[in-house]
Amino acid sequence: MAKKSPLELTPTDARRLAVTRQRLAGPRAPATSDGIYDVFRDIGCVQIDPIRAVERTQYLVLRSRLGAFNYDDFHQLLYQDWKLFEYWAHAASFVLVEDYPLHQAMMRNWAQGDRAWNKRARRWMQENDAFRQYVLAEIGRNGPLASTQLEDRSTYAWPSSGWTNNRNVGMMIDFLWTRGDLVVADRDQLHRKWGLTENYLAQAQATEPWPDEQVTSIAAQKAIQALGVATEKQIKQHFIRNRYKGLSKTLRKLAAVGQIVPVIIRDGSAEWPGDWYVHSADMPLLETLRNGGWQPRTTLLSPFDNLICDRDRTELMWDFYFRIEIYVPKKKRQFGYYVLPILHGDRLIGRIDPKMDRKTNTLHIHNIYAEDDAPDDNATLAQIANAIVELARFLGANDIILDNVPPQWHAVRTLSIS
């Protein structure tokens, strides 16, 4: 029997599937606890970052998908209902408790291997076992506790040439969190309060650990569905980043049984590099999108948004070069400190350089940048303006100040929050 040719997609098909699976197209989920949870089940994780030049990324990522929502509903899912918790995904993130077995693999494999850092971490924990016992006992008796409420009882300082040098309490807590002994039980703004995992996630902890092959199979499928369409390299960079043991073999098995579908993405006469996959469960959605079911939206993305966190993938799929310039000296920045890309349907058409002034409740937009091929029709300009106004309302701004706008987008200057 002749081997069946892979399904052929256009770049538009690939982008629309990716955007839809990221809940950035189609009807928005309701801005409720259930809606927030529904979004998490689709995208798997939301990165945590403390910078509040506009708003913290976790809130911006959810806003792009839900519109205005109540922060308390999100916090309840985290620190009261315990449907979400903080752990490592493709970065420090909020993740689903139902995915605990996927993250448990990292907990049990903590600091294994022969790398110099792993050896150093294991030795440091062995030398400071009494310190470890003290931290766990104090939190067990009095928790949740902030790190500042714990004494440094290390007998062997953490050696580092960087900022972690001699930060012994912080390193002990970080290691105990990574190992699954501690969990973030609450937050006071940026300050985490630590509790014993067994007091909050006992049922999840009691789950029989999954073998590596099962972890890779389930996590890879979740990553493919969250990405819409993905290569092996892109899967490795997403969700449980760089923790997919035996991924190549697993992908071959999943394709052989029809759980994932190999596809080719052809752009005219050229073919996008790599072996691409779509999850079989998303084939009906793909068919809908290819047959008139595409429902685009225009929104502003956090610089850490799941859709664009893999910079190489973003450049390949959207021809959009994006880097965060937070740590770039001001004079050397190309676009700005905390830039938000503009997602317009299945395209990234520009970016804004905003700053929220909370003293005056003003959203100050220093610059708006348009991509060279960005549309400039009235409908697009109205949608960009609406996206900016939506963000301003979400942030509680009473006014928007615009400085520099591209000439072809001059009409975007006409903004009104009222």
Side-chain angles (χ1 to χ4, degrees):
M1 182 181 293
K3 187 177 179 180
K4 187 177 179 181
S5 298
L7 177 67
E8 206 170 284
L9 306 185
T10 67
T12 297
D13 295 332
R15 287 191 287 262
R16 289 182 177 180
L17 182 59
V19 171
T20 303
R21 288 301 286 123
Q22 274 295 312
R23 301 299 291 265
L24 290 165
R28 278 178 166 158
T32 62
S33 294
D34 287 345
I36 295 168
Y37 190 64
D38 190 37
V39 166
F40 264 90
R41 295 195 79 182
D42 268 352
I43 69 175
C45 59
V46 172
Q47 185 171 336
I48 303 168
D49 191 84
I51 295 171
R52 208 180 181 211
V54 179
E55 180 53 289
R56 295 184 183 112
T57 186
Q58 51 265 36
Y59 303 126
L60 292 177
V61 169
L62 292 174
R63 187 211 68 85
S64 295
R65 291 152 175 84
L66 298 157
F69 69 96
N70 190 325
Y71 288 12
D72 289 342
D73 290 338
F74 178 38
H75 297 157
Q76 181 172 328
L77 289 170
L78 278 161
Y79 309 120
Q80 295 177 46
D81 298 343
W82 285 95
K83 291 186 175 182
L84 305 172
F85 74 110
E86 297 188 30
Y87 199 63
W88 291 103
H90 53 255
S93 301
F94 298 111
V95 297
L96 292 153
V97 170
E98 67 184 56
D99 286 340
Y100 193 87
L102 302 177
H103 303 293
Q104 199 172 28
M106 181 176 181
M107 298 171 190
R108 69 173 180 264
N109 293 327
W110 176 85
Q112 288 187 4
D114 294 329
R115 290 173 55 206
W117 186 93
N118 294 343
K119 291 179 179 179
R120 180 156 48 109
R122 290 198 301 267
R123 181 190 172 196
W124 190 79
M125 290 295 282
Q126 289 165 2
E127 295 282 348
N128 286 302
D129 192 60
F131 181 28
R132 176 189 66 83
Q133 293 181 48
Y134 155 74
V135 169
L136 293 176
E138 281 295 294
I139 292 174
R141 279 194 297 268
N142 307 300
L145 294 179
S147 62
T148 53
Q149 295 174 278
L150 294 163
E151 299 173 13
D152 180 356
R153 294 193 180 182
S154 60
T155 57
Y156 176 52
W158 174 254
S160 170
S161 59
W163 69 273
T164 60
N165 187 55
N166 212 29
R167 294 173 63 93
N168 300 307
V169 173
M171 292 307 294
M172 178 59 73
I173 286 176
D174 188 65
F175 288 168
L176 292 174
W177 173 50
T178 305
R179 290 181 4 160
D181 298 319
L182 294 180
V183 70
V184 180
D186 201 0
R187 273 185 181 262
D188 179 10
Q189 297 296 324
L190 296 180
H191 304 291
R192 295 174 290 185
K193 293 188 176 181
W194 299 95
L196 299 182
T197 305
E198 63 194 40
N199 291 340
Y200 299 92
L201 296 175
Q203 188 174 351
Q205 268 194 322
T207 304
E208 187 70 25
W210 290 1
D212 290 338
E213 185 177 358
Q214 184 179 5
V215 169
T216 297
S217 178
I218 300 300
Q221 291 181 72
K222 285 180 172 287
I224 292 168
Q225 287 202 271
L227 292 167
V229 57
T231 64
E232 180 177 343
K233 180 181 177 182
Q234 293 167 4
I235 295 164
K236 286 180 180 178
Q237 289 297 305
H238 203 71
F239 191 35
I240 59 167
R241 178 174 288 177
N242 294 327
R243 308 203 303 267
Y244 296 91
K245 289 190 175 181
L247 180 58
S248 298
K249 182 179 178 181
T250 297
L251 292 176
R252 288 195 297 270
K253 284 185 175 181
L254 290 171
V257 298
Q259 284 290 98
I260 60 176
V261 180
V263 298
I264 290 172
I265 304 174
R266 192 175 299 284
D267 188 358
S269 60
E271 187 179 309
W272 282 6
D275 297 322
W276 294 79
Y277 300 98
V278 172
H279 199 278
S280 59
D282 286 332
M283 293 304 289
L285 172 60
L286 176 61
E287 191 65 22
T288 297
L289 295 174
R290 298 176 88 180
N291 288 282
W294 168 240
Q295 299 179 56
R297 298 204 304 261
T298 300
T299 192
L300 303 171
L301 301 178
S302 159
F304 300 101
D305 195 279
N306 297 36
L307 184 74
I308 57 171
C309 62
D310 181 340
R311 307 307 186 197
D312 291 340
R313 171 184 161 90
T314 301
E315 195 167 351
L316 172 64
M317 291 189 64
W318 282 275
D319 192 24
F320 188 82
Y321 182 85
F322 184 70
R323 298 293 185 273
I324 296 172
E325 298 183 295
I326 292 167
Y327 303 110
V328 176
K330 187 174 182 179
K331 290 183 179 179
K332 294 185 178 181
R333 289 176 195 146
Q334 184 178 2
F335 296 109
Y337 178 78
Y338 200 84
V339 167
L340 309 187
I342 304 169
L343 177 67
H344 179 62
D346 60 6
R347 298 175 60 189
L348 293 166
I349 62 170
R351 56 199 98 196
I352 71 169
D353 172 21
K355 169 75 175 176
M356 180 60 188
D357 186 338
R358 289 178 169 82
K359 291 182 180 179
T360 62
N361 284 336
T362 301
L363 178 60
H364 197 130
I365 299 176
H366 303 295
N367 294 285
I368 299 180
Y369 302 96
E371 292 294 284
D372 290 341
D373 60 348
D376 58 3
D377 57 279
N378 290 337
T380 296
L381 300 186
Q383 288 160 1
I384 294 170
N386 183 64
I388 294 171
V389 169
E390 275 191 349
L391 175 65
R393 288 173 177 160
F394 176 73
L395 297 173
N398 295 324
D399 196 14
I400 302 171
I401 296 177
L402 277 173
D403 290 342
N404 300 308
V405 179
Q408 69 271 35
W409 282 2
H410 188 74
V412 174
R413 280 192 171 279
T414 310
L415 298 176
S416 173
I417 296 179
S418 60

